[in-house]
Amino acid sequence: MEAKRGSLSNERAMYSTLPGSERASGRFFDSDHCPYDGDDPVHIASCARKLQQIAKDAGHEQPLMVGLREANGLYDGLPFELAGARFPYPLSLAAANSTTRTRLVGRAIGQHLGSIGINWVFTPTIDLLGESVEPLDASKTFGQDAESVCGHALALIQGLADGGVSACTVSHPAAPTLEILRTQSSTELASSIHEQADLPEFAPLGAVATRYPRNSMQFGAAIHEFQEPERSAHAIRATCDLVLRNMCGFQGPTVSSFAETTDDAAVCAKHTPLLSILSGLDMVKLPEEAAARHESISALEAAMASGAIPSNLIPAAAARVAAFKAQFLSWERALVDITAPTASPPAPGSLARAIYQDAVTALSPGTSPLHGLARTSILVVLTPTVPRRVPDSPSDPFEPLGRALSDHFSRLRHVPYTLSAGLTDVHRAFLQRAAAVVFVLCNTSSAMIESQDEFVRAVHHSLRARDAMPGQQRTRKVVIGAGNPRDLRDPFAGWWGVLCYEYSKGALEAVAKVVLGEREATGKIPST
């Protein structure tokens, strides 16, 4: 259940008129009319308490499941700013290489979620970091190494449970089977997919299914590759039944990822819930727009009335959801009465700082070339224009890096760049005067990879021309990867490279200490 803006009157009416048998079955509602200011966690907590009280007054089993999707702010949103520090992204956790700390982070997240009334969270993502992952989403994965992904995912799930929150793991297990799904018939799928059972992409799925077989899982099938709804349903059903259920032994309910099935967003919003049910998924998220939501419900009701939904799908889904809900209620009641105020969780600032520091990963041997550089030297810092991930962050998210470096260099010049504009005359003028350059890479879109490569070549060319001039000392050069480590997949000849995996304030301040030579980089790169 997701909190939105509006009035609670509709929810109160629904609960008060709901038949007792349906109340007991644990029916889910889309709470699209809750008074929720997305910028204020206090309002989230107030909304959650009111929903719990309304359900309690109507005789519904307690507590309701109030969920938070990763996309709604698990890492970027204000609920976790209450503690005075942000939590590191999964990629940083993996680079810090400590599952013990990952579990502590999970516990801290769980405690903070509990403090605002959230008890079900859609995380962690257990897909391996591959070419299909959008650059902006890379930091939400645990990397490319299957063993590392398994260890950190299980640690985070257990940590969330320590903090009183149930994790709904996010997975897209159809990605490694796309070619099979495109080219083979239903009768050939089972043997072909089982032949790939040892693929590393399936290892995290198997690990989570083995440890938590009855938890919930948000299931996507990378069905954007399929333009026809029937083909999409075929892809999801094959991966859900053959991979998730049969191969991995997962018994819990699956939640639709609301993946797009066509390029038409309106058509997608209307038909994806029905498609998800027809594909064997157990729970769906209805569209947020009222008209599309009404059409989705009508399509579901019509399909049930006509018999288009196979008779065995609904009972099987209901059984899995009921078992999961019973497990959740038993576990949650043993932890806390969710309608009662919870104690303020401890601030995780020191834990976050330690992880950010341990995550910084050197790609080059030796000490940073900025170490020992005169304070009055001209240092040019090139940073990309990227989306702000935290609403109250600076307009330039790389401002913390510039500030940390400016404490040591009085003539620092912080010069942003955009990949669409490329290297301008302003950039060239600054580079011609620089004694040292800190070049930050953080591509946020797969569509801009070629533009990024072109910009990198332009910077190389400009600095080579400068260094070739008579009497010029060679420019000291540092390159920082502040996102997908694949941004630095190609060697930067003559540059000292380092990774910090995200552009949060804590990560940038940690990498600044390494670039200045104040700390050694101890992180482990979580990809090949």
Side-chain angles (χ1 to χ4, degrees):
M1 187 179 292
E2 295 181 7
K4 305 293 180 185
R5 303 176 187 270
S7 165
L8 279 169
S9 58
N10 288 1
E11 275 65 32
R12 188 178 300 278
M14 283 194 297
Y15 277 115
S16 62
T17 59
L18 191 63
S21 59
E22 290 189 332
R23 288 201 301 269
S25 69
R27 181 175 175 182
F28 287 80
F29 289 97
D30 173 45
S31 59
D32 195 67
H33 304 282
C34 302
Y36 162 38
D37 180 351
D39 295 335
D40 189 351
V42 175
H43 287 187
I44 301 175
S46 175
C47 174
R49 285 195 298 270
K50 289 177 181 178
L51 282 172
Q52 298 290 355
Q53 189 60 51
I54 289 171
K56 185 176 182 179
D57 292 344
H60 196 284
E61 285 187 287
Q62 292 288 291
L64 290 180
M65 295 181 66
V66 181
L68 176 71
R69 289 184 299 150
E70 183 176 280
N72 281 3
L74 177 59
Y75 300 108
D76 303 333
L78 284 178
F80 306 118
E81 295 295 310
L82 288 175
R86 292 188 68 255
F87 294 96
Y89 280 85
L91 199 59
S92 293
L93 295 175
N97 200 27
S98 170
T99 54
T100 299
R101 282 181 171 168
T102 297
R103 180 169 176 174
L104 290 175
V105 167
R107 179 180 180 181
I109 290 175
Q111 290 173 328
H112 282 274
L113 285 171
S115 72
I116 60 172
I118 304 295
N119 53 16
W120 190 35
V121 62
F122 287 54
T123 198
T125 296
I126 58 174
D127 300 326
L128 302 190
L129 175 59
E131 294 287 352
S132 62
V133 176
E134 275 294 313
L136 191 60
D137 294 329
S139 58
K140 295 180 181 179
T141 75
F142 285 111
Q144 195 175 6
D145 180 73
E147 183 178 353
S148 175
V149 172
C150 292
H152 287 282
L154 293 175
L156 188 65
I157 293 170
Q158 185 58 57
L160 288 165
D162 295 341
V165 170
S166 178
C168 181
T169 311
V170 181
S171 179
H172 300 79
T177 63
L178 285 177
E179 289 302 321
I180 296 175
L181 296 169
R182 283 196 191 97
T183 60
Q184 298 192 357
S185 66
S186 298
T187 56
E188 298 171 316
L189 279 174
S191 60
S192 297
I193 289 180
H194 277 285
E195 289 176 1
Q196 299 194 37
D198 293 332
L199 284 175
E201 287 86 348
F202 292 142
L205 197 64
V208 171
T210 300
R211 180 77 67 85
Y212 303 100
R214 295 187 181 277
N215 272 21
S216 57
M217 182 175 294
Q218 181 175 327
F219 184 90
I223 58 176
H224 60 278
E225 296 285 342
F226 303 95
Q227 294 302 312
E228 298 180 2
E230 293 78 9
R231 193 64 175 155
S232 300
H234 177 63
I236 299 177
R237 181 182 292 276
T239 49
C240 186
D241 290 345
L242 298 176
V243 177
L244 191 62
R245 304 285 185 205
N246 297 344
M247 186 188 302
C248 299
F250 185 71
Q251 304 170 45
T254 50
V255 184
S256 170
S257 64
F258 203 73
E260 294 185 2
T261 56
T262 73
D263 292 332
D264 188 325
V267 173
C268 173
K270 175 181 176 180
H271 293 293
T272 299
L274 175 58
L275 176 61
S276 299
I277 295 296
L278 291 172
S279 302
L281 302 185
D282 302 321
M283 292 187 278
V284 299
K285 176 186 178 297
L286 295 175
E288 295 180 5
E289 199 274 322
R293 184 170 62 251
H294 177 74
E295 290 188 61
S296 292
I297 295 173
S298 297
L300 286 166
E301 291 175 341
M304 293 184 68
S306 66
I309 297 179
S311 59
N312 66 321
L313 283 185
I314 299 300
R320 285 188 289 265
V321 172
F324 166 65
K325 186 168 183 288
Q327 171 186 275
F328 175 85
L329 288 172
S330 175
W331 171 73
E332 187 74 15
R333 285 167 178 165
L335 291 174
V336 63
D337 177 8
I338 200 163
T339 60
T342 57
S344 298
S350 59
L351 174 62
R353 283 191 295 272
I355 292 172
Y356 281 130
Q357 290 170 359
D358 290 348
V360 178
T361 307
L363 299 177
S364 306
T367 306
S368 165
L370 295 194
H371 184 64
L373 186 65
R375 178 178 177 82
T376 55
S377 301
I378 296 178
L379 172 63
V380 173
V381 182
L382 295 175
T383 61
T385 301
V386 295
R388 286 195 298 169
R389 283 183 147 174
V390 179
D392 60 350
S393 64
S395 57
D396 182 353
F398 291 99
E399 183 180 314
L401 175 65
R403 286 182 175 178
L405 296 176
S406 66
D407 289 341
H408 296 74
F409 295 99
S410 58
R411 302 176 70 188
L412 181 142
R413 302 294 183 263
H414 185 179
V415 190
Y417 66 87
T418 64
L419 295 180
S420 57
L423 194 70
T424 66
D425 290 340
V426 173
H427 295 120
R428 292 187 180 92
F430 278 112
L431 291 175
Q432 289 300 310
R433 300 174 57 203
V437 175
V438 172
F439 184 12
V440 180
L441 290 179
C442 185
N443 185 20
T444 58
S445 171
S446 58
M448 300 300 291
I449 290 177
E450 290 186 7
S451 298
Q452 177 173 267
D453 292 341
E454 183 178 342
F455 188 84
V456 169
R457 288 192 295 269
V459 171
H460 284 328
H461 178 76
S462 181
L463 290 176
R464 279 197 300 267
R466 177 198 182 280
D467 291 346
M469 295 174 62
Q472 288 283 6
Q473 293 186 345
R474 293 186 64 84
T475 309
R476 303 191 187 194
K477 295 171 288 190
V478 172
V479 60
I480 298 174
N484 190 338
R486 289 174 176 270
D487 288 339
L488 292 178
R489 73 187 77 189
D490 297 323
F492 270 52
W495 292 72
W496 192 83
V498 65
L499 296 170
C500 66
Y501 306 102
E502 56 180 277
Y503 52 87
S504 62
K505 181 175 181 289
L508 294 174
E509 290 176 343
V511 78
K513 291 181 181 294
V514 173
V515 167
L516 292 167
E518 297 177 354
R519 288 183 57 90
E520 292 186 3
T522 58
K524 176 185 176 183
I525 185 169
S527 66
T528 56

